[in-house]
Amino acid sequence: MKIKIFGLIIILVTMISCGCSLDETTHANSNNSKTEETIKNINAIREDSGAPPLSDEKSVDVAKKDPVEEVLSQMTLEEKIGQMIMIGVHGTILNDDINWMLNQYHIGGIILFDRNMENKAQVKALTDALQTDRKIPLFFAVDEEGGRVSRMAHDLTPPLSQKEIGSTGDSAQAYNSANAIAQELKNMGFNVNFAPVADVGTPDMRSFSDDANVVAEFVSQAAKGYEDAGIFYCLKHFPGIGLWNIDSHKDIETINCDRNTFDTIDLVPFKKIISENDNSKFMVMVSHYKYTAFDAENSATLSPAVMTDLLRNELGFKGVVITDDLNMGAVSKYHDEKSLSVASVKAGADIILSCHEYEKQRKMYEGILDAVKSGEISEDRINDSVRRVLKMKSALMK
């Protein structure tokens, strides 16, 4: 019911913003009439959900607001922070532990792994149960890249690796593969796939090619495949990990190359998709490596120079920025959970990803909450991220 309320508010307020008229008088009268009607509808929805009606003054303010602002204005600080956290869970059904995490910490997204996935019907039942009665719909994510990074291979069609697809020389194959993957995932209740990999020349079959322009074209076609299937995708791992030698699951590595190398190779696919595609339809996942061209001191997931200066300001990305898993050795070996989550948000992350342990997830949530309450992070900074998350999620209600 609450998810329906979120959608109805968006539809109703959008109707106001789309009103047109023949002259100024008619326009004013029409808008006044529509505003009054929208106020009645909003209050009817609130009454149906058990919420008290808004005052006349507040109702007018609400009716004139952007639908995202309307939802944001009704959220508590705790609810906002929950929207900035995506977690992994344990179990194949909605159990007490999962329910506690979702309700106590207002978690906004869940990533599923093989440990959660027995077969298609079970996954669909799980995602349906988790999505039921959510005030704001959940992101349901999975890593289904193809090749060695595939889930539930016994019951899903295993996609080819990106390297195999790239070797065909036919970028339409990237579209076809992404679209087919998306259809299967969507049928199980997923709305986000952490793919395609936009890295150039990785040594593990996860990259389409060693050629930046080829990667850019294949990633572009994959993006269209996901969009046409109605599922969000995620470019990773910004600003590029084509030169890695140490697995960031185990430890951190410093990528020593100059800015020109990034401009002409690693950033090419990211720039293309960010500049040519609707930024509200995909996320960008940031890697854990250090990059001397941008910030020699901090992992990219903890670096304002990478997430804010480069990705947000220079490349102009307006969508959701998500970290790679903050439980990975590259960062977790050197920072505690609270300082990790706080530093990542301060650097520019909209969503922090924590895939495994409930206790670590709890500490990350509490770290951000404490930082806002102490003034280390402003609530305006939190609102900026939650706006981007809500804008993305509003598409789930259409």
Side-chain angles (χ1 to χ4, degrees):
M1 184 60 201
K2 290 182 179 178
I3 292 178
K4 294 179 180 178
I5 292 170
F6 180 58
L8 285 169
I9 290 174
I10 289 173
I11 293 168
L12 291 168
V13 180
T14 301
M15 289 171 62
I16 285 289
S17 65
C18 294
C20 58
S21 58
L22 298 176
D23 55 50
E24 290 185 2
T25 302
T26 304
H27 177 78
N29 291 337
S30 175
N31 276 351
N32 287 339
S33 175
K34 288 179 180 293
T35 299
E36 291 173 1
E37 181 179 355
T38 301
I39 291 168
K40 291 179 181 179
N41 286 330
I42 288 174
N43 279 329
I45 292 168
R46 289 175 64 84
E47 182 179 358
D48 185 53
S49 67
L54 298 173
S55 65
D56 291 342
E57 182 179 350
K58 179 65 175 176
S59 295
V60 173
D61 289 341
V62 166
K64 291 179 179 178
K65 280 185 178 180
D66 178 275
V68 167
E69 294 299 322
E70 152 63 3
V71 176
L72 184 66
S73 70
Q74 297 185 34
M75 296 175 68
T76 65
L77 173 61
E78 289 77 9
E79 289 172 332
K80 292 174 186 177
I81 292 171
Q83 288 298 312
M84 296 176 65
I85 298 178
M86 180 179 287
I87 66 171
V89 297
H90 297 272
T92 57
I93 61 172
L94 176 55
N95 55 46
D96 290 342
D97 288 339
I98 298 174
N99 208 39
W100 169 259
M101 291 298 299
L102 290 178
N103 294 327
Q104 182 68 19
Y105 301 107
H106 315 284
I107 299 299
I110 292 176
I111 179 172
L112 297 186
F113 294 91
D114 278 338
R115 65 177 184 249
N116 310 115
M117 305 170 69
E118 296 176 340
N119 55 64
K120 292 179 182 179
Q122 170 267 322
V123 174
K124 183 63 167 65
L126 175 60
T127 57
D128 282 350
L130 290 168
Q131 198 71 279
T132 300
D133 290 331
R134 293 294 123 202
K135 180 178 179 180
I136 297 171
L138 292 165
F139 282 136
F140 280 114
V142 67
D143 288 302
E144 189 70 7
E145 299 173 13
R148 71 179 184 85
V149 185
S150 300
R151 306 299 181 215
M152 205 170 66
H154 63 279
D155 204 33
L156 283 176
T157 305
L160 294 175
S161 70
Q162 290 194 180
K163 183 69 172 179
E164 291 171 306
I165 293 171
S167 67
T168 68
D170 180 9
S171 63
Q173 296 303 314
Y175 175 95
N176 294 337
S177 178
N179 192 262
I181 292 169
Q183 295 288 356
E184 283 199 282
L185 296 180
K186 190 174 181 180
N187 289 339
M188 293 188 291
F190 290 104
N191 46 44
V192 181
N193 189 19
F194 285 148
V197 173
D199 302 315
V200 179
T202 59
D204 55 5
M205 303 292 285
R206 297 172 73 189
S207 174
F208 283 116
S209 174
D210 296 334
D211 185 307
N213 292 316
V214 171
V215 172
E217 179 56 31
F218 275 73
V219 170
S220 179
Q221 288 300 312
K224 291 177 183 177
Y226 286 115
E227 284 194 19
D228 288 351
I231 194 170
F232 299 125
Y233 56 101
C234 181
L235 305 182
K236 61 185 188 184
H237 308 80
F238 188 85
I241 61 170
L243 297 174
W244 70 270
N245 293 301
I246 299 173
D247 185 347
S248 59
H249 288 84
K250 299 176 181 179
D251 211 332
I252 197 164
E253 180 178 9
T254 298
I255 306 296
N256 291 303
C257 61
D258 60 22
R259 176 62 195 263
N260 183 63
T261 300
F262 279 95
D263 285 337
T264 57
I265 300 177
D266 297 87
L267 291 177
V268 171
F270 293 100
K271 287 180 177 178
K272 179 178 177 63
I273 306 306
I274 289 170
S275 65
E276 296 180 0
N277 292 54
D278 183 344
N279 288 190
S280 69
K281 293 184 178 179
F282 65 96
M283 300 178 184
V284 172
M285 179 180 285
V286 180
S287 90
H288 289 317
Y289 293 113
K290 292 181 182 178
Y291 299 85
T292 55
F294 308 108
D295 183 348
E297 298 299 320
N298 299 295
S299 159
T301 41
L302 308 177
S303 172
V306 173
M307 286 200 279
T308 297
D309 296 343
L310 177 62
L311 179 55
R312 190 71 74 194
N313 296 336
E314 187 175 333
L315 271 60
F317 182 56
K318 297 179 175 62
V320 171
V321 176
I322 186 169
T323 70
D324 207 340
D325 180 14
L326 291 182
N327 298 138
M328 291 164 64
V331 288
S332 65
K333 286 177 66 174
Y334 305 99
H335 307 273
D336 64 83
E337 289 80 16
K338 289 188 176 182
S339 63
L340 263 180
S341 61
V342 170
S344 189
V345 170
K346 290 172 69 175
D350 297 312
I351 297 178
I352 62 169
L353 179 63
S354 180
C355 294
H356 302 293
E357 298 178 37
Y358 292 138
E359 181 63 14
K360 291 182 177 181
Q361 295 160 1
R362 180 187 66 78
K363 289 179 180 179
M364 289 180 184
Y365 173 94
E366 291 177 349
I368 299 171
L369 180 61
D370 290 345
V372 177
K373 289 182 176 180
S374 71
E376 184 179 358
I377 298 175
S378 71
E379 190 164 355
D380 285 343
R381 166 68 191 87
I382 298 298
N383 289 343
D384 287 342
S385 285
V386 178
R387 283 188 184 96
R388 287 186 280 267
V389 171
L390 293 177
K391 181 177 181 180
M392 198 171 189
K393 287 188 173 184
S394 66
L396 301 175
M397 306 312 306
K398 294 179 181 179

